[in-house]
PDB file of all heavy atoms in Angstrom:
ATOM      1  N   TYR A  48       0.794  -1.199   0.030  1.00 96.00           N
ATOM      2  CA  TYR A  48       0.009  -0.001   0.019  1.00 96.00           C
ATOM      3  C   TYR A  48       0.960   1.287   0.049  1.00 96.00           C
ATOM      4  O   TYR A  48       1.880   1.332   0.805  1.00 96.00           O
ATOM      5  CB  TYR A  48      -0.973   0.001   1.296  1.00 96.00           C
ATOM      6  CG  TYR A  48      -2.058   1.124   1.077  1.00 96.00           C
ATOM      7  CD1 TYR A  48      -3.194   0.681   0.476  1.00 96.00           C
ATOM      8  CD2 TYR A  48      -1.844   2.365   1.635  1.00 96.00           C
ATOM      9  CE1 TYR A  48      -4.202   1.723   0.449  1.00 96.00           C
ATOM     10  CE2 TYR A  48      -2.814   3.262   1.498  1.00 96.00           C
ATOM     11  CZ  TYR A  48      -4.104   2.962   0.822  1.00 96.00           C
ATOM     12  OH  TYR A  48      -5.041   3.869   0.685  1.00 96.00           O
ATOM     13  N   SER A  49       0.637   2.124  -0.839  1.00 95.00           N
ATOM     14  CA  SER A  49       1.496   3.335  -1.019  1.00 95.00           C
ATOM     15  C   SER A  49       0.622   4.661  -0.849  1.00 95.00           C
ATOM     16  O   SER A  49      -0.366   4.768  -1.788  1.00 95.00           O
ATOM     17  CB  SER A  49       2.099   3.339  -2.352  1.00 95.00           C
ATOM     18  OG  SER A  49       2.892   4.501  -2.613  1.00 95.00           O
ATOM     19  N   GLY A  50       0.820   5.332   0.175  1.00 94.00           N
ATOM     20  CA  GLY A  50       0.002   6.457   0.477  1.00 94.00           C
ATOM     21  C   GLY A  50       0.831   7.703   0.668  1.00 94.00           C
ATOM     22  O   GLY A  50       2.112   7.713   0.409  1.00 94.00           O
ATOM     23  N   CYS A  51       0.203   8.835   1.124  1.00 92.00           N
ATOM     24  CA  CYS A  51       1.022  10.020   1.356  1.00 92.00           C
ATOM     25  C   CYS A  51       1.826   9.936   2.570  1.00 92.00           C
ATOM     26  O   CYS A  51       2.645  10.856   2.762  1.00 92.00           O
ATOM     27  CB  CYS A  51       0.033  11.278   1.376  1.00 92.00           C
ATOM     28  SG  CYS A  51      -1.227  11.090   2.684  1.00 92.00           S
ATOM     29  N   GLU A  52       1.562   8.911   3.370  1.00 92.00           N
ATOM     30  CA  GLU A  52       2.320   8.614   4.577  1.00 92.00           C
ATOM     31  C   GLU A  52       2.614   7.054   4.530  1.00 92.00           C
ATOM     32  O   GLU A  52       2.058   6.416   3.776  1.00 92.00           O
ATOM     33  CB  GLU A  52       1.632   9.053   5.792  1.00 92.00           C
ATOM     34  CG  GLU A  52       1.277  10.540   5.943  1.00 92.00           C
ATOM     35  CD  GLU A  52       2.556  11.407   6.388  1.00 92.00           C
ATOM     36  OE1 GLU A  52       3.535  10.736   6.789  1.00 92.00           O
ATOM     37  OE2 GLU A  52       2.447  12.583   6.340  1.00 92.00           O
ATOM     38  N   GLU A  53       3.378   6.729   5.482  1.00 93.00           N
ATOM     39  CA  GLU A  53       3.645   5.318   5.704  1.00 93.00           C
ATOM     40  C   GLU A  53       2.659   4.727   6.681  1.00 93.00           C
ATOM     41  O   GLU A  53       2.728   4.720   7.814  1.00 93.00           O
ATOM     42  CB  GLU A  53       5.119   5.051   6.313  1.00 93.00           C
ATOM     43  CG  GLU A  53       6.279   5.278   5.404  1.00 93.00           C
ATOM     44  CD  GLU A  53       6.358   4.298   4.263  1.00 93.00           C
ATOM     45  OE1 GLU A  53       5.982   3.187   4.482  1.00 93.00           O
ATOM     46  OE2 GLU A  53       6.633   4.717   3.076  1.00 93.00           O
ATOM     47  N   PHE A  54       1.455   4.367   6.009  1.00 94.00           N
ATOM     48  CA  PHE A  54       0.320   3.992   6.751  1.00 94.00           C
ATOM     49  C   PHE A  54       0.472   2.526   7.203  1.00 94.00           C
ATOM     50  O   PHE A  54       1.173   1.682   6.516  1.00 94.00           O
ATOM     51  CB  PHE A  54      -0.894   4.087   5.947  1.00 94.00           C
ATOM     52  CG  PHE A  54      -1.326   5.494   5.622  1.00 94.00           C
ATOM     53  CD1 PHE A  54      -1.429   5.845   4.381  1.00 94.00           C
ATOM     54  CD2 PHE A  54      -1.502   6.356   6.626  1.00 94.00           C
ATOM     55  CE1 PHE A  54      -1.763   7.105   3.993  1.00 94.00           C
ATOM     56  CE2 PHE A  54      -1.766   7.737   6.338  1.00 94.00           C
ATOM     57  CZ  PHE A  54      -1.987   8.124   4.987  1.00 94.00           C
ATOM     58  N   THR A  55      -0.058   2.134   8.401  1.00 90.00           N
ATOM     59  CA  THR A  55      -0.101   0.784   8.954  1.00 90.00           C
ATOM     60  C   THR A  55      -1.597   0.351   9.243  1.00 90.00           C
ATOM     61  O   THR A  55      -2.413   1.335   9.182  1.00 90.00           O
ATOM     62  CB  THR A  55       0.832   0.631  10.182  1.00 90.00           C
ATOM     63  OG1 THR A  55       0.308   1.441  11.355  1.00 90.00           O
ATOM     64  CG2 THR A  55       2.208   0.975   9.854  1.00 90.00           C
ATOM     65  N   ALA A  56      -1.736  -0.790   9.715  1.00 89.00           N
ATOM     66  CA  ALA A  56      -3.040  -1.244  10.099  1.00 89.00           C
ATOM     67  C   ALA A  56      -3.383  -0.745  11.532  1.00 89.00           C
ATOM     68  O   ALA A  56      -3.899  -1.439  12.380  1.00 89.00           O
ATOM     69  CB  ALA A  56      -3.224  -2.717  10.057  1.00 89.00           C
ATOM     70  N   ASP A  57      -3.027   0.470  11.852  1.00 93.00           N
ATOM     71  CA  ASP A  57      -3.423   1.123  13.129  1.00 93.00           C
ATOM     72  C   ASP A  57      -4.377   2.382  12.769  1.00 93.00           C
ATOM     73  O   ASP A  57      -3.827   3.346  12.270  1.00 93.00           O
ATOM     74  CB  ASP A  57      -2.179   1.598  13.859  1.00 93.00           C
ATOM     75  CG  ASP A  57      -2.496   2.237  15.104  1.00 93.00           C
ATOM     76  OD1 ASP A  57      -3.551   2.886  15.298  1.00 93.00           O
ATOM     77  OD2 ASP A  57      -1.537   2.100  16.152  1.00 93.00           O
ATOM     78  N   ILE A  58      -5.570   2.164  12.925  1.00 95.00           N
ATOM     79  CA  ILE A  58      -6.538   3.117  12.450  1.00 95.00           C
ATOM     80  C   ILE A  58      -6.462   4.507  13.041  1.00 95.00           C
ATOM     81  O   ILE A  58      -6.566   5.608  12.500  1.00 95.00           O
ATOM     82  CB  ILE A  58      -8.014   2.609  12.543  1.00 95.00           C
ATOM     83  CG1 ILE A  58      -8.954   3.405  11.757  1.00 95.00           C
ATOM     84  CG2 ILE A  58      -8.416   2.559  13.976  1.00 95.00           C
ATOM     85  CD1 ILE A  58     -10.285   2.719  11.407  1.00 95.00           C
ATOM     86  N   LYS A  59      -6.080   4.568  14.362  1.00 96.00           N
ATOM     87  CA  LYS A  59      -5.923   5.885  15.095  1.00 96.00           C
ATOM     88  C   LYS A  59      -4.717   6.651  14.508  1.00 96.00           C
ATOM     89  O   LYS A  59      -4.712   7.820  14.401  1.00 96.00           O
ATOM     90  CB  LYS A  59      -5.905   5.698  16.538  1.00 96.00           C
ATOM     91  CG  LYS A  59      -7.221   5.316  17.172  1.00 96.00           C
ATOM     92  CD  LYS A  59      -8.322   6.489  16.880  1.00 96.00           C
ATOM     93  CE  LYS A  59      -9.661   6.338  17.588  1.00 96.00           C
ATOM     94  NZ  LYS A  59     -10.571   7.212  17.277  1.00 96.00           N
ATOM     95  N   ASP A  60      -3.645   5.851  14.364  1.00 96.00           N
ATOM     96  CA  ASP A  60      -2.353   6.395  13.857  1.00 96.00           C
ATOM     97  C   ASP A  60      -2.565   6.905  12.422  1.00 96.00           C
ATOM     98  O   ASP A  60      -1.952   8.021  12.090  1.00 96.00           O
ATOM     99  CB  ASP A  60      -1.242   5.372  13.969  1.00 96.00           C
ATOM    100  CG  ASP A  60       0.047   5.917  13.437  1.00 96.00           C
ATOM    101  OD1 ASP A  60       0.482   6.880  14.017  1.00 96.00           O
ATOM    102  OD2 ASP A  60       0.624   5.332  12.352  1.00 96.00           O
ATOM    103  N   THR A  61      -3.382   6.099  11.671  1.00 96.00           N
ATOM    104  CA  THR A  61      -3.582   6.610  10.165  1.00 96.00           C
ATOM    105  C   THR A  61      -4.433   7.802  10.271  1.00 96.00           C
ATOM    106  O   THR A  61      -4.216   8.803   9.404  1.00 96.00           O
ATOM    107  CB  THR A  61      -4.469   5.459   9.566  1.00 96.00           C
ATOM    108  OG1 THR A  61      -3.436   4.281   9.395  1.00 96.00           O
ATOM    109  CG2 THR A  61      -4.851   5.945   8.126  1.00 96.00           C
ATOM    110  N   GLU A  62      -5.401   7.915  11.077  1.00 96.00           N
ATOM    111  CA  GLU A  62      -6.199   9.170  11.266  1.00 96.00           C
ATOM    112  C   GLU A  62      -5.406  10.324  11.557  1.00 96.00           C
ATOM    113  O   GLU A  62      -5.564  11.473  10.913  1.00 96.00           O
ATOM    114  CB  GLU A  62      -7.233   8.983  12.341  1.00 96.00           C
ATOM    115  CG  GLU A  62      -8.269  10.106  12.361  1.00 96.00           C
ATOM    116  CD  GLU A  62      -9.319   9.855  13.430  1.00 96.00           C
ATOM    117  OE1 GLU A  62      -9.839   8.762  13.601  1.00 96.00           O
ATOM    118  OE2 GLU A  62      -9.651  10.801  14.181  1.00 96.00           O
ATOM    119  N   LYS A  63      -4.389  10.264  12.420  1.00 96.00           N
ATOM    120  CA  LYS A  63      -3.571  11.380  12.798  1.00 96.00           C
ATOM    121  C   LYS A  63      -2.747  11.725  11.660  1.00 96.00           C
ATOM    122  O   LYS A  63      -2.610  13.007  11.320  1.00 96.00           O
ATOM    123  CB  LYS A  63      -2.667  11.000  14.049  1.00 96.00           C
ATOM    124  CG  LYS A  63      -3.475  10.861  15.326  1.00 96.00           C
ATOM    125  CD  LYS A  63      -2.476  10.443  16.510  1.00 96.00           C
ATOM    126  CE  LYS A  63      -3.219  10.169  17.750  1.00 96.00           C
ATOM    127  NZ  LYS A  63      -2.411   9.708  18.799  1.00 96.00           N
ATOM    128  N   LYS A  64      -2.157  10.830  10.965  1.00 96.00           N
ATOM    129  CA  LYS A  64      -1.249  11.021   9.760  1.00 96.00           C
ATOM    130  C   LYS A  64      -1.944  11.799   8.560  1.00 96.00           C
ATOM    131  O   LYS A  64      -1.528  12.586   8.003  1.00 96.00           O
ATOM    132  CB  LYS A  64      -0.629   9.776   9.295  1.00 96.00           C
ATOM    133  CG  LYS A  64       0.478   9.271  10.233  1.00 96.00           C
ATOM    134  CD  LYS A  64       1.078   7.969   9.771  1.00 96.00           C
ATOM    135  CE  LYS A  64       2.272   7.492  10.676  1.00 96.00           C
ATOM    136  NZ  LYS A  64       2.848   6.223  10.251  1.00 96.00           N
ATOM    137  N   LEU A  65      -3.189  11.264   8.399  1.00 96.00           N
ATOM    138  CA  LEU A  65      -4.065  11.880   7.355  1.00 96.00           C
ATOM    139  C   LEU A  65      -4.488  13.255   7.725  1.00 96.00           C
ATOM    140  O   LEU A  65      -4.364  14.248   6.778  1.00 96.00           O
ATOM    141  CB  LEU A  65      -5.365  11.032   7.212  1.00 96.00           C
ATOM    142  CG  LEU A  65      -5.391  10.077   6.108  1.00 96.00           C
ATOM    143  CD1 LEU A  65      -6.768   9.400   6.008  1.00 96.00           C
ATOM    144  CD2 LEU A  65      -5.097  10.569   4.814  1.00 96.00           C
ATOM    145  N   LEU A  66      -4.868  13.526   8.903  1.00 96.00           N
ATOM    146  CA  LEU A  66      -5.127  14.946   9.392  1.00 96.00           C
ATOM    147  C   LEU A  66      -4.013  15.781   9.087  1.00 96.00           C
ATOM    148  O   LEU A  66      -4.149  16.907   8.648  1.00 96.00           O
ATOM    149  CB  LEU A  66      -5.664  14.961  10.824  1.00 96.00           C
ATOM    150  CG  LEU A  66      -6.062  16.286  11.386  1.00 96.00           C
ATOM    151  CD1 LEU A  66      -7.146  16.923  10.537  1.00 96.00           C
ATOM    152  CD2 LEU A  66      -6.498  16.158  12.859  1.00 96.00           C
ATOM    153  N   LYS A  67      -2.707  15.323   9.580  1.00 96.00           N
ATOM    154  CA  LYS A  67      -1.658  16.158   9.310  1.00 96.00           C
ATOM    155  C   LYS A  67      -1.364  16.458   7.854  1.00 96.00           C
ATOM    156  O   LYS A  67      -1.003  17.562   7.439  1.00 96.00           O
ATOM    157  CB  LYS A  67      -0.355  15.404  10.094  1.00 96.00           C
ATOM    158  CG  LYS A  67       0.882  16.256   9.833  1.00 96.00           C
ATOM    159  CD  LYS A  67       2.065  15.537  10.575  1.00 96.00           C
ATOM    160  CE  LYS A  67       3.266  16.350  10.529  1.00 96.00           C
ATOM    161  NZ  LYS A  67       3.797  16.649   9.095  1.00 96.00           N
ATOM    162  N   ALA A  68      -1.587  15.372   6.936  1.00 96.00           N
ATOM    163  CA  ALA A  68      -1.349  15.610   5.528  1.00 96.00           C
ATOM    164  C   ALA A  68      -2.350  16.448   5.022  1.00 96.00           C
ATOM    165  O   ALA A  68      -1.983  17.341   4.162  1.00 96.00           O
ATOM    166  CB  ALA A  68      -1.538  14.175   4.885  1.00 96.00           C
ATOM    167  N   PHE A  69      -3.498  16.496   5.402  1.00 96.00           N
ATOM    168  CA  PHE A  69      -4.597  17.526   4.912  1.00 96.00           C
ATOM    169  C   PHE A  69      -4.174  18.882   5.338  1.00 96.00           C
ATOM    170  O   PHE A  69      -4.280  19.812   4.658  1.00 96.00           O
ATOM    171  CB  PHE A  69      -6.001  17.199   5.494  1.00 96.00           C
ATOM    172  CG  PHE A  69      -6.559  15.973   4.941  1.00 96.00           C
ATOM    173  CD1 PHE A  69      -7.367  15.077   5.610  1.00 96.00           C
ATOM    174  CD2 PHE A  69      -6.434  15.582   3.546  1.00 96.00           C
ATOM    175  CE1 PHE A  69      -7.902  13.967   5.121  1.00 96.00           C
ATOM    176  CE2 PHE A  69      -6.826  14.454   3.078  1.00 96.00           C
ATOM    177  CZ  PHE A  69      -7.601  13.582   3.725  1.00 96.00           C
ATOM    178  N   ASN A  70      -3.723  19.110   6.733  1.00 94.00           N
ATOM    179  CA  ASN A  70      -3.369  20.475   7.072  1.00 94.00           C
ATOM    180  C   ASN A  70      -2.188  20.922   6.463  1.00 94.00           C
ATOM    181  O   ASN A  70      -2.051  22.045   6.038  1.00 94.00           O
ATOM    182  CB  ASN A  70      -3.137  20.337   8.703  1.00 94.00           C
ATOM    183  CG  ASN A  70      -4.460  20.083   9.511  1.00 94.00           C
ATOM    184  OD1 ASN A  70      -5.554  20.494   8.965  1.00 94.00           O
ATOM    185  ND2 ASN A  70      -4.347  19.531  10.608  1.00 94.00           N
ATOM    186  N   ASP A  71      -1.143  20.060   6.251  1.00 94.00           N
ATOM    187  CA  ASP A  71       0.035  20.440   5.610  1.00 94.00           C
ATOM    188  C   ASP A  71      -0.031  20.870   4.199  1.00 94.00           C
ATOM    189  O   ASP A  71       0.786  21.587   3.617  1.00 94.00           O
ATOM    190  CB  ASP A  71       1.123  19.274   5.705  1.00 94.00           C
ATOM    191  CG  ASP A  71       1.693  19.047   7.167  1.00 94.00           C
ATOM    192  OD1 ASP A  71       1.323  20.052   8.007  1.00 94.00           O
ATOM    193  OD2 ASP A  71       2.300  18.056   7.436  1.00 94.00           O
ATOM    194  N   SER A  72      -0.979  20.220   3.494  1.00 94.00           N
ATOM    195  CA  SER A  72      -1.203  20.429   2.024  1.00 94.00           C
ATOM    196  C   SER A  72      -2.171  21.641   1.774  1.00 94.00           C
ATOM    197  O   SER A  72      -2.566  21.895   0.704  1.00 94.00           O
ATOM    198  CB  SER A  72      -1.777  19.306   1.317  1.00 94.00           C
ATOM    199  OG  SER A  72      -3.103  18.977   1.799  1.00 94.00           O
ATOM    200  N   TYR A  73      -2.430  22.371   2.914  1.00 89.00           N
ATOM    201  CA  TYR A  73      -3.362  23.541   2.803  1.00 89.00           C
ATOM    202  C   TYR A  73      -3.154  24.473   1.642  1.00 89.00           C
ATOM    203  O   TYR A  73      -3.995  24.795   0.818  1.00 89.00           O
ATOM    204  CB  TYR A  73      -3.396  24.253   4.213  1.00 89.00           C
ATOM    205  CG  TYR A  73      -4.052  25.694   4.017  1.00 89.00           C
ATOM    206  CD1 TYR A  73      -5.419  25.771   3.916  1.00 89.00           C
ATOM    207  CD2 TYR A  73      -3.199  26.695   4.003  1.00 89.00           C
ATOM    208  CE1 TYR A  73      -5.923  27.084   3.894  1.00 89.00           C
ATOM    209  CE2 TYR A  73      -3.698  28.060   4.028  1.00 89.00           C
ATOM    210  CZ  TYR A  73      -5.050  28.254   3.821  1.00 89.00           C
ATOM    211  OH  TYR A  73      -5.732  29.445   3.744  1.00 89.00           O
ATOM    212  N   GLN A  74      -1.827  25.130   1.600  1.00 90.00           N
ATOM    213  CA  GLN A  74      -1.616  26.092   0.590  1.00 90.00           C
ATOM    214  C   GLN A  74      -1.778  25.591  -0.813  1.00 90.00           C
ATOM    215  O   GLN A  74      -2.269  26.129  -1.768  1.00 90.00           O
ATOM    216  CB  GLN A  74      -0.243  26.666   0.840  1.00 90.00           C
ATOM    217  CG  GLN A  74      -0.137  27.440   2.053  1.00 90.00           C
ATOM    218  CD  GLN A  74       1.237  28.127   2.245  1.00 90.00           C
ATOM    219  OE1 GLN A  74       2.164  27.701   1.597  1.00 90.00           O
ATOM    220  NE2 GLN A  74       1.264  29.192   3.004  1.00 90.00           N
ATOM    221  N   THR A  75      -1.208  24.331  -1.043  1.00 94.00           N
ATOM    222  CA  THR A  75      -1.319  23.722  -2.404  1.00 94.00           C
ATOM    223  C   THR A  75      -2.759  23.332  -2.808  1.00 94.00           C
ATOM    224  O   THR A  75      -3.150  23.669  -3.907  1.00 94.00           O
ATOM    225  CB  THR A  75      -0.476  22.374  -2.427  1.00 94.00           C
ATOM    226  OG1 THR A  75       0.866  22.528  -2.140  1.00 94.00           O
ATOM    227  CG2 THR A  75      -0.621  21.741  -3.677  1.00 94.00           C
ATOM    228  N   ASP A  76      -3.585  22.885  -1.925  1.00 94.00           N
ATOM    229  CA  ASP A  76      -4.926  22.582  -2.091  1.00 94.00           C
ATOM    230  C   ASP A  76      -5.707  23.752  -2.329  1.00 94.00           C
ATOM    231  O   ASP A  76      -6.700  23.855  -3.230  1.00 94.00           O
ATOM    232  CB  ASP A  76      -5.575  21.828  -0.952  1.00 94.00           C
ATOM    233  CG  ASP A  76      -4.948  20.383  -0.797  1.00 94.00           C
ATOM    234  OD1 ASP A  76      -4.133  20.077  -1.633  1.00 94.00           O
ATOM    235  OD2 ASP A  76      -5.304  19.745   0.123  1.00 94.00           O
ATOM    236  N   VAL A  77      -5.552  24.954  -1.734  1.00 91.00           N
ATOM    237  CA  VAL A  77      -6.299  26.161  -1.925  1.00 91.00           C
ATOM    238  C   VAL A  77      -5.903  26.669  -3.265  1.00 91.00           C
ATOM    239  O   VAL A  77      -6.783  27.167  -4.107  1.00 91.00           O
ATOM    240  CB  VAL A  77      -5.990  27.224  -0.840  1.00 91.00           C
ATOM    241  CG1 VAL A  77      -6.585  28.659  -1.291  1.00 91.00           C
ATOM    242  CG2 VAL A  77      -6.562  26.760   0.521  1.00 91.00           C
ATOM    243  N   LEU A  78      -4.651  26.579  -3.693  1.00 92.00           N
ATOM    244  CA  LEU A  78      -4.186  27.263  -4.929  1.00 92.00           C
ATOM    245  C   LEU A  78      -4.790  26.382  -6.114  1.00 92.00           C
ATOM    246  O   LEU A  78      -5.159  26.912  -7.110  1.00 92.00           O
ATOM    247  CB  LEU A  78      -2.517  27.038  -4.990  1.00 92.00           C
ATOM    248  CG  LEU A  78      -1.958  27.612  -6.229  1.00 92.00           C
ATOM    249  CD1 LEU A  78      -2.220  29.095  -6.457  1.00 92.00           C
ATOM    250  CD2 LEU A  78      -0.467  27.425  -6.246  1.00 92.00           C
ATOM    251  N   ASN A  79      -4.828  24.972  -5.954  1.00 93.00           N
ATOM    252  CA  ASN A  79      -5.287  24.216  -6.971  1.00 93.00           C
ATOM    253  C   ASN A  79      -6.801  23.864  -6.904  1.00 93.00           C
ATOM    254  O   ASN A  79      -7.403  23.227  -7.757  1.00 93.00           O
ATOM    255  CB  ASN A  79      -4.535  22.836  -7.026  1.00 93.00           C
ATOM    256  CG  ASN A  79      -3.078  23.003  -7.426  1.00 93.00           C
ATOM    257  OD1 ASN A  79      -2.715  23.911  -8.212  1.00 93.00           O
ATOM    258  ND2 ASN A  79      -2.162  22.213  -6.804  1.00 93.00           N
ATOM    259  N   ARG A  80      -7.404  24.228  -5.693  1.00 93.00           N
ATOM    260  CA  ARG A  80      -8.737  24.048  -5.481  1.00 93.00           C
ATOM    261  C   ARG A  80      -9.260  22.630  -5.558  1.00 93.00           C
ATOM    262  O   ARG A  80     -10.351  22.270  -5.978  1.00 93.00           O
ATOM    263  CB  ARG A  80      -9.606  24.954  -6.411  1.00 93.00           C
ATOM    264  CG  ARG A  80      -9.253  26.417  -6.340  1.00 93.00           C
ATOM    265  CD  ARG A  80     -10.072  27.212  -7.366  1.00 93.00           C
ATOM    266  NE  ARG A  80      -9.221  28.173  -8.084  1.00 93.00           N
ATOM    267  CZ  ARG A  80      -9.616  29.107  -8.908  1.00 93.00           C
ATOM    268  NH1 ARG A  80     -10.863  29.219  -9.200  1.00 93.00           N
ATOM    269  NH2 ARG A  80      -8.800  29.984  -9.415  1.00 93.00           N
ATOM    270  N   THR A  81      -8.372  21.791  -4.986  1.00 95.00           N
ATOM    271  CA  THR A  81      -8.748  20.359  -5.032  1.00 95.00           C
ATOM    272  C   THR A  81      -7.817  19.668  -3.898  1.00 95.00           C
ATOM    273  O   THR A  81      -6.765  20.159  -3.523  1.00 95.00           O
ATOM    274  CB  THR A  81      -8.484  19.640  -6.247  1.00 95.00           C
ATOM    275  OG1 THR A  81      -9.060  18.367  -6.173  1.00 95.00           O
ATOM    276  CG2 THR A  81      -7.064  19.567  -6.677  1.00 95.00           C
ATOM    277  N   THR A  82      -8.284  18.516  -3.346  1.00 96.00           N
ATOM    278  CA  THR A  82      -7.617  17.790  -2.314  1.00 96.00           C
ATOM    279  C   THR A  82      -6.558  16.974  -2.942  1.00 96.00           C
ATOM    280  O   THR A  82      -6.788  15.965  -3.642  1.00 96.00           O
ATOM    281  CB  THR A  82      -8.632  17.032  -1.475  1.00 96.00           C
ATOM    282  OG1 THR A  82      -9.564  17.870  -0.927  1.00 96.00           O
ATOM    283  CG2 THR A  82      -7.954  16.237  -0.227  1.00 96.00           C
ATOM    284  N   SER A  83      -5.287  17.252  -2.651  1.00 96.00           N
ATOM    285  CA  SER A  83      -4.187  16.556  -3.288  1.00 96.00           C
ATOM    286  C   SER A  83      -3.773  15.242  -2.528  1.00 96.00           C
ATOM    287  O   SER A  83      -3.114  14.461  -3.068  1.00 96.00           O
ATOM    288  CB  SER A  83      -2.998  17.507  -3.318  1.00 96.00           C
ATOM    289  OG  SER A  83      -2.543  17.988  -2.076  1.00 96.00           O
ATOM    290  N   LYS A  84      -4.176  15.029  -1.317  1.00 96.00           N
ATOM    291  CA  LYS A  84      -3.740  13.803  -0.597  1.00 96.00           C
ATOM    292  C   LYS A  84      -4.975  13.149  -0.081  1.00 96.00           C
ATOM    293  O   LYS A  84      -6.034  13.675   0.265  1.00 96.00           O
ATOM    294  CB  LYS A  84      -2.772  14.250   0.592  1.00 96.00           C
ATOM    295  CG  LYS A  84      -1.493  14.809   0.053  1.00 96.00           C
ATOM    296  CD  LYS A  84      -0.519  15.145   1.037  1.00 96.00           C
ATOM    297  CE  LYS A  84       0.757  15.654   0.570  1.00 96.00           C
ATOM    298  NZ  LYS A  84       1.692  16.069   1.613  1.00 96.00           N
ATOM    299  N   GLY A  85      -4.772  11.820   0.380  1.00 96.00           N
ATOM    300  CA  GLY A  85      -5.862  11.040   0.760  1.00 96.00           C
ATOM    301  C   GLY A  85      -6.017   9.682   0.095  1.00 96.00           C
ATOM    302  O   GLY A  85      -5.358   9.484  -0.917  1.00 96.00           O
ATOM    303  N   PRO A  86      -6.941   8.822   0.694  1.00 97.00           N
ATOM    304  CA  PRO A  86      -7.105   7.524  -0.082  1.00 97.00           C
ATOM    305  C   PRO A  86      -7.591   7.555  -1.472  1.00 97.00           C
ATOM    306  O   PRO A  86      -7.413   6.600  -2.189  1.00 97.00           O
ATOM    307  CB  PRO A  86      -8.160   6.802   0.740  1.00 97.00           C
ATOM    308  CG  PRO A  86      -8.765   7.984   1.671  1.00 97.00           C
ATOM    309  CD  PRO A  86      -7.679   8.955   1.724  1.00 97.00           C
TER     310      PRO A  86
END
């Protein structure tokens, strides 16, 4: 499995990593007006 982070079968850890990825990609996403990371 290849994602924006090194995800594992730990759902809470994955949730934290995804939230960080969404927050970190804020400027790029606003500029492109689309969500650049996620499943």
